[in-house]
Amino acid sequence: MAIRYRRETVDGLSVFYREAGDPARPTLLLLHGYPTSSVMFRDLIPLLADDFHVIAPDLPGFGQTDMPSVREFDYTFDHLAEVIDRFVEQVGLGTFGIYVQDYGSPVGFRLALRRPDQVRAIVSQNGNAYDEGLVPEFWAPLREFWANWTPATEAPVAAAISDEATRWQYVHGETDPELVSPDASTLDSLLLGRPGAREVQLQLFHDYRTNPPSYPAWQAFLRDNRPGVLAVWGRNDQIFGPDGARAFARDVPDAEIHLLDAGHFALETQAPTIAALIKDFLPKHVK
């Protein structure tokens, strides 16, 4: 099944997206994380396209979607979710599932709160919604940055924009790093090096402070609306730990939880396994 590379103008932004499969089949909206784009789904989309309608936008400031300056665009997770909400409306999605990873989770859960009757399933791949998932050592400098943005607190956070930190996110937790292609992390680094990108990412790092206080609302959505939940995580992730996956069972007792021998970007080595789990899961919840 061919993948189409398309654009949709949303509130003046040119939003790039990948789309494949028959729109008459169950739809899965793929929402990427930091520091990547829809390119993270390059292996997964072909594995799903014969069975589902798959659509993967790049968030504002990422990938091939426009990256206005911080003076022209309010880089908050509320605003990213507003853009994706309008995108969903404009491309005409009906009921659908969401696949969320890293930043895709706060965007996806905000979208679910806006469209509770449409979001019928959530595939969380290292996409956090619980305090238990926040690995304390990783988040300690970010919490200091959230509390007081100064040059001293910014420095360790800004280090996450480096080429080394980007590659680390891909290979940490992988039993054989030689199986992880450098293509995606190299592209991510090139895009993070664009003029203005550092300022965009710092704004989002700072606004991430709004996400943990939102967890109770997201969890209430799970309890009240009972979407299907498939938590399929790289268990070796040192950003969002496996307790974040296990916690979904507290609000959705029949959540399907699978911990894979992988890291933060589990798709890099586990795409066939994750695709097989989605093929079994999604038709139960999205028609």
Short mmCIF file of all heavy atoms in Angstrom, two decimals, residues 141-202:
data_model
loop_
_atom_site.label_atom_id
_atom_site.label_comp_id
_atom_site.label_asym_id
_atom_site.label_seq_id
_atom_site.Cartn_x
_atom_site.Cartn_y
_atom_site.Cartn_z
N PRO A 141 16.44 17.77 36.55
CA PRO A 141 16.83 19.09 36.04
C PRO A 141 15.68 19.82 35.35
O PRO A 141 15.62 21.06 35.37
CB PRO A 141 17.96 18.77 35.05
CG PRO A 141 17.81 17.32 34.73
CD PRO A 141 17.22 16.68 35.94
N LEU A 142 14.77 19.08 34.75
CA LEU A 142 13.62 19.74 34.13
C LEU A 142 12.73 20.37 35.19
O LEU A 142 12.19 21.47 34.98
CB LEU A 142 12.84 18.72 33.29
CG LEU A 142 13.43 18.48 31.91
CD1 LEU A 142 13.06 17.11 31.38
CD2 LEU A 142 12.98 19.55 30.93
N ARG A 143 12.55 19.70 36.31
CA ARG A 143 11.72 20.28 37.37
C ARG A 143 12.34 21.58 37.89
O ARG A 143 11.61 22.54 38.21
CB ARG A 143 11.53 19.27 38.50
CG ARG A 143 10.67 18.07 38.10
CD ARG A 143 10.41 17.14 39.27
NE ARG A 143 9.71 15.93 38.87
CZ ARG A 143 8.40 15.83 38.67
NH1 ARG A 143 7.63 16.91 38.85
NH2 ARG A 143 7.84 14.69 38.32
N GLU A 144 13.66 21.64 37.98
CA GLU A 144 14.32 22.87 38.39
C GLU A 144 14.10 23.97 37.35
O GLU A 144 13.86 25.14 37.69
CB GLU A 144 15.81 22.62 38.59
CG GLU A 144 16.12 21.69 39.75
CD GLU A 144 17.61 21.48 39.93
OE1 GLU A 144 18.40 22.16 39.24
OE2 GLU A 144 17.99 20.64 40.77
N PHE A 145 14.15 23.59 36.09
CA PHE A 145 13.90 24.54 34.99
C PHE A 145 12.48 25.05 35.03
O PHE A 145 12.22 26.24 34.82
CB PHE A 145 14.22 23.83 33.67
CG PHE A 145 14.03 24.65 32.43
CD1 PHE A 145 14.74 25.83 32.23
CD2 PHE A 145 13.17 24.22 31.42
CE1 PHE A 145 14.58 26.57 31.06
CE2 PHE A 145 13.02 24.94 30.26
CZ PHE A 145 13.72 26.12 30.07
N TRP A 146 11.52 24.15 35.28
CA TRP A 146 10.12 24.56 35.37
C TRP A 146 9.91 25.58 36.49
O TRP A 146 9.16 26.54 36.35
CB TRP A 146 9.22 23.36 35.63
CG TRP A 146 9.23 22.32 34.56
CD1 TRP A 146 9.67 22.45 33.28
CD2 TRP A 146 8.79 20.97 34.69
NE1 TRP A 146 9.52 21.28 32.59
CE2 TRP A 146 8.99 20.34 33.43
CE3 TRP A 146 8.26 20.22 35.73
CZ2 TRP A 146 8.67 19.00 33.20
CZ3 TRP A 146 7.93 18.88 35.51
CH2 TRP A 146 8.13 18.29 34.26
N ALA A 147 10.58 25.34 37.62
CA ALA A 147 10.37 26.19 38.79
C ALA A 147 11.01 27.56 38.64
O ALA A 147 10.49 28.56 39.16
CB ALA A 147 10.93 25.49 40.03
N ASN A 148 12.13 27.63 37.90
CA ASN A 148 12.85 28.89 37.81
C ASN A 148 13.74 28.87 36.56
O ASN A 148 14.81 28.26 36.57
CB ASN A 148 13.71 29.10 39.06
CG ASN A 148 14.36 30.47 39.09
OD1 ASN A 148 13.88 31.42 38.48
ND2 ASN A 148 15.46 30.57 39.82
N TRP A 149 13.29 29.53 35.51
CA TRP A 149 14.04 29.54 34.25
C TRP A 149 15.14 30.58 34.34
O TRP A 149 14.89 31.80 34.28
CB TRP A 149 13.10 29.83 33.09
CG TRP A 149 13.73 29.69 31.72
CD1 TRP A 149 15.05 29.65 31.41
CD2 TRP A 149 13.03 29.60 30.47
NE1 TRP A 149 15.23 29.52 30.06
CE2 TRP A 149 14.01 29.49 29.45
CE3 TRP A 149 11.69 29.61 30.11
CZ2 TRP A 149 13.67 29.39 28.10
CZ3 TRP A 149 11.36 29.51 28.77
CH2 TRP A 149 12.34 29.40 27.79
N THR A 150 16.36 30.12 34.52
CA THR A 150 17.54 30.97 34.56
C THR A 150 18.60 30.36 33.65
O THR A 150 18.46 29.21 33.23
CB THR A 150 18.11 31.05 35.99
OG1 THR A 150 18.66 29.77 36.35
CG2 THR A 150 17.04 31.45 37.00
N PRO A 151 19.67 31.09 33.33
CA PRO A 151 20.74 30.47 32.54
C PRO A 151 21.28 29.20 33.18
O PRO A 151 21.61 28.24 32.47
CB PRO A 151 21.80 31.58 32.48
CG PRO A 151 21.01 32.84 32.56
CD PRO A 151 19.90 32.55 33.52
N ALA A 152 21.35 29.16 34.50
CA ALA A 152 21.88 27.97 35.18
C ALA A 152 20.95 26.78 35.05
O ALA A 152 21.41 25.65 34.83
CB ALA A 152 22.13 28.28 36.65
N THR A 153 19.64 26.99 35.18
CA THR A 153 18.72 25.86 35.06
C THR A 153 18.48 25.49 33.60
O THR A 153 18.12 24.34 33.30
CB THR A 153 17.38 26.17 35.74
OG1 THR A 153 16.77 27.32 35.11
CG2 THR A 153 17.57 26.42 37.22
N GLU A 154 18.66 26.45 32.70
CA GLU A 154 18.46 26.16 31.27
C GLU A 154 19.57 25.28 30.71
O GLU A 154 19.31 24.43 29.85
CB GLU A 154 18.42 27.47 30.49
CG GLU A 154 18.28 27.29 28.99
CD GLU A 154 18.42 28.60 28.24
OE1 GLU A 154 17.60 29.52 28.48
OE2 GLU A 154 19.35 28.68 27.40
N ALA A 155 20.78 25.44 31.19
CA ALA A 155 21.94 24.77 30.57
C ALA A 155 21.80 23.26 30.48
O ALA A 155 21.99 22.69 29.39
CB ALA A 155 23.22 25.15 31.32
N PRO A 156 21.46 22.53 31.56
CA PRO A 156 21.35 21.08 31.42
C PRO A 156 20.17 20.64 30.56
O PRO A 156 20.21 19.58 29.94
CB PRO A 156 21.19 20.60 32.86
CG PRO A 156 20.68 21.77 33.61
CD PRO A 156 21.28 22.96 32.94
N VAL A 157 19.15 21.48 30.50
CA VAL A 157 17.99 21.16 29.66
C VAL A 157 18.33 21.39 28.20
O VAL A 157 18.01 20.56 27.32
CB VAL A 157 16.78 22.01 30.10
CG1 VAL A 157 15.61 21.80 29.15
CG2 VAL A 157 16.38 21.66 31.53
N ALA A 158 19.02 22.48 27.91
CA ALA A 158 19.41 22.77 26.53
C ALA A 158 20.35 21.72 25.98
O ALA A 158 20.41 21.49 24.77
CB ALA A 158 20.06 24.15 26.45
N ALA A 159 21.07 21.02 26.87
CA ALA A 159 21.97 19.96 26.43
C ALA A 159 21.22 18.83 25.74
O ALA A 159 21.80 18.08 24.94
CB ALA A 159 22.77 19.41 27.61
N ALA A 160 19.92 18.73 26.01
CA ALA A 160 19.12 17.68 25.36
C ALA A 160 18.92 17.93 23.87
O ALA A 160 18.45 17.05 23.15
CB ALA A 160 17.75 17.58 26.04
N ILE A 161 19.30 19.13 23.40
CA ILE A 161 19.14 19.47 21.99
C ILE A 161 20.39 19.07 21.19
O ILE A 161 20.41 19.14 19.98
CB ILE A 161 18.84 20.98 21.84
CG1 ILE A 161 17.61 21.34 22.69
CG2 ILE A 161 18.58 21.38 20.40
CD1 ILE A 161 17.32 22.84 22.76
N SER A 162 21.42 18.59 21.87
CA SER A 162 22.67 18.24 21.20
C SER A 162 22.53 16.97 20.36
O SER A 162 21.63 16.15 20.59
CB SER A 162 23.78 18.03 22.23
OG SER A 162 23.53 16.85 22.99
N ASP A 163 23.45 16.79 19.41
CA ASP A 163 23.45 15.59 18.58
C ASP A 163 23.62 14.35 19.45
O ASP A 163 22.99 13.31 19.20
CB ASP A 163 24.59 15.65 17.56
CG ASP A 163 24.41 16.75 16.53
OD1 ASP A 163 23.34 17.38 16.52
OD2 ASP A 163 25.36 16.99 15.75
N GLU A 164 24.49 14.44 20.47
CA GLU A 164 24.75 13.28 21.32
C GLU A 164 23.51 12.87 22.10
O GLU A 164 23.20 11.68 22.22
CB GLU A 164 25.90 13.60 22.29
CG GLU A 164 27.24 13.82 21.63
CD GLU A 164 27.38 15.20 20.99
OE1 GLU A 164 26.52 16.08 21.24
OE2 GLU A 164 28.35 15.40 20.23
N ALA A 165 22.79 13.86 22.62
CA ALA A 165 21.59 13.55 23.38
C ALA A 165 20.50 12.97 22.49
O ALA A 165 19.76 12.07 22.90
CB ALA A 165 21.08 14.81 24.08
N THR A 166 20.42 13.47 21.26
CA THR A 166 19.43 12.93 20.33
C THR A 166 19.72 11.47 20.02
O THR A 166 18.82 10.62 20.07
CB THR A 166 19.41 13.77 19.04
OG1 THR A 166 19.00 15.10 19.35
CG2 THR A 166 18.46 13.17 18.01
N ARG A 167 20.96 11.16 19.72
CA ARG A 167 21.31 9.77 19.43
C ARG A 167 21.09 8.89 20.65
O ARG A 167 20.64 7.74 20.53
CB ARG A 167 22.76 9.69 18.96
CG ARG A 167 23.20 8.28 18.55
CD ARG A 167 22.40 7.75 17.38
NE ARG A 167 22.83 6.41 16.97
CZ ARG A 167 22.12 5.61 16.20
NH1 ARG A 167 20.94 5.99 15.74
NH2 ARG A 167 22.57 4.41 15.86
N TRP A 168 21.40 9.42 21.84
CA TRP A 168 21.19 8.66 23.08
C TRP A 168 19.74 8.22 23.22
O TRP A 168 19.47 7.08 23.63
CB TRP A 168 21.60 9.52 24.27
CG TRP A 168 21.30 8.87 25.60
CD1 TRP A 168 22.06 7.95 26.27
CD2 TRP A 168 20.14 9.09 26.41
NE1 TRP A 168 21.45 7.60 27.46
CE2 TRP A 168 20.26 8.29 27.56
CE3 TRP A 168 19.01 9.91 26.29
CZ2 TRP A 168 19.31 8.26 28.58
CZ3 TRP A 168 18.05 9.89 27.29
CH2 TRP A 168 18.20 9.08 28.42
N GLN A 169 18.81 9.09 22.87
CA GLN A 169 17.40 8.72 23.01
C GLN A 169 17.05 7.50 22.16
O GLN A 169 16.16 6.73 22.51
CB GLN A 169 16.50 9.89 22.63
CG GLN A 169 16.52 11.02 23.63
CD GLN A 169 15.35 11.97 23.41
OE1 GLN A 169 14.19 11.58 23.45
NE2 GLN A 169 15.67 13.23 23.17
N TYR A 170 17.75 7.34 21.05
CA TYR A 170 17.46 6.22 20.15
C TYR A 170 18.11 4.92 20.60
O TYR A 170 17.55 3.84 20.42
CB TYR A 170 17.91 6.56 18.72
CG TYR A 170 16.93 7.41 17.97
CD1 TYR A 170 16.94 8.79 18.09
CD2 TYR A 170 15.96 6.83 17.14
CE1 TYR A 170 16.03 9.58 17.41
CE2 TYR A 170 15.05 7.61 16.46
CZ TYR A 170 15.08 8.99 16.60
OH TYR A 170 14.17 9.76 15.92
N VAL A 171 19.31 5.00 21.17
CA VAL A 171 20.06 3.76 21.43
C VAL A 171 20.03 3.32 22.88
O VAL A 171 20.27 2.14 23.17
CB VAL A 171 21.53 3.88 20.97
CG1 VAL A 171 21.59 4.13 19.47
CG2 VAL A 171 22.27 4.98 21.74
N HIS A 172 19.73 4.23 23.82
CA HIS A 172 19.73 3.77 25.22
C HIS A 172 18.62 2.75 25.42
O HIS A 172 17.53 2.87 24.89
CB HIS A 172 19.59 4.95 26.20
CG HIS A 172 18.18 5.44 26.38
ND1 HIS A 172 17.29 4.86 27.23
CD2 HIS A 172 17.52 6.48 25.82
CE1 HIS A 172 16.13 5.50 27.20
NE2 HIS A 172 16.26 6.49 26.34
N GLY A 173 18.94 1.73 26.16
CA GLY A 173 17.97 0.68 26.44
C GLY A 173 17.87 -0.39 25.37
O GLY A 173 17.13 -1.37 25.55
N GLU A 174 18.58 -0.23 24.27
CA GLU A 174 18.57 -1.24 23.23
C GLU A 174 19.69 -2.26 23.50
O GLU A 174 20.82 -1.88 23.78
CB GLU A 174 18.78 -0.61 21.86
CG GLU A 174 17.63 0.28 21.41
CD GLU A 174 16.36 -0.49 21.12
OE1 GLU A 174 16.43 -1.74 20.94
OE2 GLU A 174 15.29 0.14 21.07
N THR A 175 19.36 -3.53 23.41
CA THR A 175 20.36 -4.56 23.70
C THR A 175 21.44 -4.61 22.63
O THR A 175 22.57 -5.01 22.92
CB THR A 175 19.69 -5.93 23.83
OG1 THR A 175 18.95 -6.21 22.62
CG2 THR A 175 18.73 -5.96 25.02
N ASP A 176 21.11 -4.19 21.41
CA ASP A 176 22.09 -4.17 20.33
C ASP A 176 21.95 -2.86 19.57
O ASP A 176 21.18 -2.78 18.60
CB ASP A 176 21.89 -5.37 19.40
CG ASP A 176 23.00 -5.49 18.36
OD1 ASP A 176 23.83 -4.56 18.26
OD2 ASP A 176 23.04 -6.51 17.63
N PRO A 177 22.69 -1.82 19.98
CA PRO A 177 22.55 -0.52 19.32
C PRO A 177 22.85 -0.55 17.83
O PRO A 177 22.41 0.34 17.09
CB PRO A 177 23.56 0.36 20.06
CG PRO A 177 23.71 -0.29 21.40
CD PRO A 177 23.60 -1.77 21.13
N GLU A 178 23.59 -1.57 17.36
CA GLU A 178 23.89 -1.64 15.93
C GLU A 178 22.67 -1.94 15.09
O GLU A 178 22.71 -1.81 13.86
CB GLU A 178 24.97 -2.69 15.69
CG GLU A 178 26.34 -2.29 16.23
CD GLU A 178 27.43 -3.28 15.87
OE1 GLU A 178 27.09 -4.35 15.31
OE2 GLU A 178 28.60 -2.99 16.13
N LEU A 179 21.57 -2.32 15.74
CA LEU A 179 20.32 -2.55 15.01
C LEU A 179 19.52 -1.26 14.82
O LEU A 179 18.51 -1.26 14.13
CB LEU A 179 19.46 -3.58 15.76
CG LEU A 179 20.02 -5.01 15.84
CD1 LEU A 179 19.10 -5.88 16.68
CD2 LEU A 179 20.20 -5.59 14.45
N VAL A 180 19.97 -0.17 15.44
CA VAL A 180 19.25 1.09 15.37
C VAL A 180 19.85 1.95 14.25
O VAL A 180 20.99 2.41 14.35
CB VAL A 180 19.32 1.85 16.71
CG1 VAL A 180 18.56 3.17 16.61
CG2 VAL A 180 18.74 0.99 17.83
N SER A 181 19.08 2.15 13.20
CA SER A 181 19.55 2.97 12.08
C SER A 181 19.87 4.39 12.53
O SER A 181 19.12 4.97 13.34
CB SER A 181 18.48 3.00 10.98
OG SER A 181 18.79 4.01 10.02
N PRO A 182 20.93 4.99 12.02
CA PRO A 182 21.23 6.39 12.35
C PRO A 182 20.40 7.39 11.55
O PRO A 182 20.50 8.60 11.79
CB PRO A 182 22.71 6.52 11.99
CG PRO A 182 22.91 5.54 10.87
CD PRO A 182 22.00 4.38 11.18
N ASP A 183 19.60 6.91 10.62
CA ASP A 183 18.92 7.84 9.71
C ASP A 183 18.00 8.82 10.44
O ASP A 183 18.04 10.03 10.20
CB ASP A 183 18.11 7.05 8.67
CG ASP A 183 19.00 6.22 7.75
OD1 ASP A 183 20.22 6.48 7.72
OD2 ASP A 183 18.48 5.33 7.06
N ALA A 184 17.14 8.30 11.33
CA ALA A 184 16.16 9.17 11.99
C ALA A 184 16.84 10.16 12.92
O ALA A 184 16.51 11.36 12.91
CB ALA A 184 15.14 8.34 12.75
N SER A 185 17.80 9.70 13.71
CA SER A 185 18.45 10.61 14.66
C SER A 185 19.28 11.66 13.92
O SER A 185 19.37 12.82 14.37
CB SER A 185 19.32 9.85 15.65
OG SER A 185 20.34 9.11 15.00
N THR A 186 19.86 11.30 12.79
CA THR A 186 20.62 12.27 12.00
C THR A 186 19.68 13.34 11.44
O THR A 186 19.99 14.55 11.50
CB THR A 186 21.37 11.59 10.86
OG1 THR A 186 22.29 10.64 11.40
CG2 THR A 186 22.12 12.59 10.00
N LEU A 187 18.54 12.93 10.93
CA LEU A 187 17.55 13.90 10.43
C LEU A 187 17.06 14.79 11.57
O LEU A 187 16.95 16.02 11.41
CB LEU A 187 16.37 13.18 9.78
CG LEU A 187 15.22 14.06 9.30
CD1 LEU A 187 15.69 15.06 8.25
CD2 LEU A 187 14.08 13.20 8.76
N ASP A 188 16.77 14.18 12.72
CA ASP A 188 16.32 14.98 13.86
C ASP A 188 17.34 16.04 14.21
O ASP A 188 17.00 17.21 14.46
CB ASP A 188 16.10 14.08 15.08
CG ASP A 188 14.95 13.10 14.91
OD1 ASP A 188 14.17 13.26 13.96
OD2 ASP A 188 14.85 12.17 15.74
N SER A 189 18.62 15.66 14.25
CA SER A 189 19.68 16.61 14.61
C SER A 189 19.78 17.75 13.61
O SER A 189 19.96 18.91 13.99
CB SER A 189 21.02 15.89 14.73
OG SER A 189 21.05 15.04 15.86
N LEU A 190 19.65 17.42 12.34
CA LEU A 190 19.69 18.47 11.32
C LEU A 190 18.55 19.46 11.51
O LEU A 190 18.75 20.68 11.41
CB LEU A 190 19.64 17.85 9.92
CG LEU A 190 20.89 17.11 9.45
CD1 LEU A 190 20.60 16.35 8.16
CD2 LEU A 190 22.05 18.09 9.25
N LEU A 191 17.37 18.97 11.80
CA LEU A 191 16.23 19.86 11.98
C LEU A 191 16.33 20.65 13.28
O LEU A 191 15.91 21.81 13.34
CB LEU A 191 14.93 19.04 11.93
CG LEU A 191 14.61 18.41 10.56
CD1 LEU A 191 13.41 17.50 10.64
CD2 LEU A 191 14.38 19.50 9.51
N LEU A 192 16.89 20.04 14.32
CA LEU A 192 17.09 20.77 15.57
C LEU A 192 18.14 21.88 15.42
O LEU A 192 18.19 22.80 16.23
CB LEU A 192 17.53 19.81 16.68
CG LEU A 192 16.45 18.89 17.24
CD1 LEU A 192 17.08 17.88 18.20
CD2 LEU A 192 15.36 19.69 17.95
N GLY A 193 18.96 21.78 14.38
CA GLY A 193 19.98 22.79 14.14
C GLY A 193 19.51 23.98 13.32
O GLY A 193 20.29 24.91 13.08
N ARG A 194 18.26 23.99 12.90
CA ARG A 194 17.74 25.12 12.13
C ARG A 194 17.71 26.39 12.98
O ARG A 194 17.52 26.33 14.21
CB ARG A 194 16.32 24.82 11.64
CG ARG A 194 16.23 23.76 10.57
CD ARG A 194 14.78 23.49 10.19
NE ARG A 194 14.05 22.85 11.29
CZ ARG A 194 12.75 22.57 11.26
NH1 ARG A 194 12.03 22.89 10.19
NH2 ARG A 194 12.17 21.98 12.30
N PRO A 195 17.86 27.55 12.36
CA PRO A 195 17.74 28.81 13.11
C PRO A 195 16.38 28.88 13.82
O PRO A 195 15.34 28.66 13.20
CB PRO A 195 17.86 29.89 12.04
CG PRO A 195 18.64 29.23 10.94
CD PRO A 195 18.21 27.80 10.94
N GLY A 196 16.41 29.17 15.09
CA GLY A 196 15.18 29.31 15.86
C GLY A 196 14.70 28.04 16.53
O GLY A 196 13.83 28.09 17.41
N ALA A 197 15.24 26.88 16.14
CA ALA A 197 14.74 25.62 16.69
C ALA A 197 15.04 25.49 18.18
O ALA A 197 14.23 24.96 18.95
CB ALA A 197 15.33 24.43 15.93
N ARG A 198 16.23 25.96 18.60
CA ARG A 198 16.58 25.87 20.02
C ARG A 198 15.56 26.61 20.87
O ARG A 198 15.10 26.08 21.91
CB ARG A 198 17.98 26.45 20.24
CG ARG A 198 18.49 26.36 21.68
CD ARG A 198 19.88 26.97 21.77
NE ARG A 198 20.48 26.79 23.07
CZ ARG A 198 20.28 27.59 24.10
NH1 ARG A 198 19.47 28.63 23.97
NH2 ARG A 198 20.87 27.37 25.27
N GLU A 199 15.16 27.79 20.46
CA GLU A 199 14.19 28.57 21.22
C GLU A 199 12.83 27.88 21.26
O GLU A 199 12.15 27.88 22.30
CB GLU A 199 14.06 29.97 20.62
CG GLU A 199 15.29 30.86 20.80
CD GLU A 199 16.43 30.47 19.87
OE1 GLU A 199 16.20 29.76 18.86
OE2 GLU A 199 17.58 30.89 20.15
N VAL A 200 12.44 27.27 20.14
CA VAL A 200 11.18 26.53 20.09
C VAL A 200 11.20 25.39 21.11
O VAL A 200 10.26 25.21 21.89
CB VAL A 200 10.94 25.98 18.67
CG1 VAL A 200 9.83 24.92 18.67
CG2 VAL A 200 10.60 27.11 17.72
N GLN A 201 12.28 24.63 21.11
CA GLN A 201 12.33 23.46 22.00
C GLN A 201 12.41 23.87 23.46
O GLN A 201 11.83 23.20 24.33
CB GLN A 201 13.49 22.55 21.60
CG GLN A 201 13.39 21.99 20.19
CD GLN A 201 12.05 21.32 19.91
OE1 GLN A 201 11.42 20.75 20.80
NE2 GLN A 201 11.61 21.39 18.66
N LEU A 202 13.10 24.95 23.76
CA LEU A 202 13.15 25.41 25.15
C LEU A 202 11.76 25.83 25.63
O LEU A 202 11.38 25.56 26.79
CB LEU A 202 14.14 26.56 25.29
CG LEU A 202 15.61 26.17 25.25
CD1 LEU A 202 16.49 27.42 25.19
CD2 LEU A 202 15.99 25.31 26.46
#
